[in-house]
């Protein structure tokens, strides 16, 4: 094993320990109450080692939120329905229940923590847009970027507003799907050049 390979493995192991320690701590307290000293102690590293990899706790938090957003966007398997069957796309995107995230991921995404995520929800929206473009059904361009931003932001806003709809109520689901389907159909029509 070369010296570079050993160094790379050390970096990987150290970052893995830092992230594991952060997940342990985020389950116990909000992100703004986690200190580098506490994280370093939990990860069995010194504070200087932490700063070799991250500017501060919030930079680490942003990285972890982005990774979760990307993973969540990739979990949804029905992006091809966006153009083929917009109604079914809206129904599945909004109301198919994904697997329950781990307690650490749930803690990471608590609203009181997300207010410290400088790139969220943009990284989640970007990850969804990337997955949509990967289907090959829409051409990646500025106009489609704007269309998708509008559509994704609108759909997500319905889910994150507590009390706006009852996600378990079939009537509420039908109402939302009826409302959003024409908008999705309009947004996915080919652009005029």
């Amino acid at each position: 094993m070369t010296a570079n390979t050993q160094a790379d493995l050390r970096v990987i192991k150290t970052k893995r320990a830092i992230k594991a320690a952060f997940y342990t701590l985020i389950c116990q307290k909000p992100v703004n109450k986690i200190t580098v000293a506490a994280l370093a102690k939990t990860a069995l590293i010194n504070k200087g080692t932490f700063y070799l990899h991250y500017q501060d706790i919030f930079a680490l938090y942003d990285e972890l939120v982005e990774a979760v957003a990307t993973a969540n966007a990739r979990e949804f398997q029905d992006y091809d329905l966006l153009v083929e069957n917009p109604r079914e796309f809206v129904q599945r995107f909004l109301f198919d229940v994904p697997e329950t995230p781990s307690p650490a991921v749930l803690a990471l995404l608590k609203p009181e923590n997300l207010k410290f995520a400088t790139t969220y929800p943009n990284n989640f929206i970007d990850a969804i847009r990337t997955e949509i473009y990967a289907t090959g059904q829409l051409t990646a361009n500025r106009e489609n970027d704007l269309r998708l931003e509008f559509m994704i932001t609108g759909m997500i806003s319905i889910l994150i507003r507590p009390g706006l709809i009852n996600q378990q109520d079939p009537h509420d689901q039908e109402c939302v799907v009826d409302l959003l389907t024409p908008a999705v159909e309009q947004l996915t029509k080919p652009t005029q050049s």
Side-chain angles (χ1 to χ4, degrees):
M1 192 176 285
T2 67
N4 283 342
T5 304
Q6 288 176 335
D8 290 345
L9 288 175
R10 280 195 302 268
V11 168
I12 290 168
K13 288 179 181 180
T14 300
K15 287 186 89 170
R16 189 177 298 144
I18 289 169
K19 291 174 183 179
F22 184 86
Y23 277 124
T24 297
L25 294 171
I26 197 81
C27 288
Q28 300 168 5
K29 57 180 110 180
V31 67
N32 62 321
K33 301 294 183 191
I34 297 173
T35 64
V36 172
L39 187 135
K41 183 179 178 182
T42 304
L44 303 175
I45 61 171
N46 64 49
K47 287 172 36 175
T49 301
F50 173 85
Y51 287 114
L52 288 173
H53 302 284
Y54 298 98
Q55 179 181 349
D56 57 23
I57 290 292
F58 298 105
L60 169 59
Y61 178 63
D62 278 344
E63 181 180 303
L64 294 174
V65 168
E66 182 174 355
V68 167
T70 300
N72 286 345
R74 287 183 179 153
E75 277 182 24
F76 184 71
Q77 298 295 309
D78 296 317
Y79 291 108
D80 57 326
L81 293 174
L82 179 70
V83 173
E84 295 172 11
N85 188 342
R87 182 175 189 77
E88 189 66 21
F89 171 81
V90 171
Q91 177 69 40
R92 291 185 187 180
F93 187 86
L94 292 177
F95 301 114
D96 277 8
V97 179
E99 290 183 30
T100 303
S102 70
V105 169
L106 288 173
L108 192 77
L109 299 177
K110 282 183 177 178
E112 60 267 25
N113 288 328
L114 278 178
K115 68 182 178 183
F116 296 103
T118 60
T119 59
Y120 188 85
N122 292 340
N123 46 22
F124 185 53
I125 293 167
D126 292 343
I128 293 170
R129 183 175 32 244
T130 297
E131 295 298 316
I132 289 171
Y133 283 148
T135 68
Q137 295 181 338
L138 293 176
T139 302
N141 60 41
R142 178 107 171 106
E143 186 172 340
N144 282 336
D145 284 349
L146 292 170
R147 289 172 170 213
L148 290 172
E149 183 86 13
F150 176 78
M151 180 192 77
I152 296 164
T153 303
M155 291 173 66
I156 292 171
S157 70
I158 288 172
L159 295 178
I160 62 173
R161 296 279 310 265
L164 184 62
I165 62 165
N166 177 350
Q167 293 184 23
Q168 313 311 315
D169 182 344
H171 180 267
D172 279 7
Q173 286 185 17
E174 190 71 21
C175 178
V176 169
V177 170
D178 286 346
L179 179 67
L180 290 176
T181 298
V184 171
E185 290 170 341
Q186 181 65 34
L187 290 171
T188 57
K189 286 183 180 178
T191 60
Q192 300 292 328
S193 296

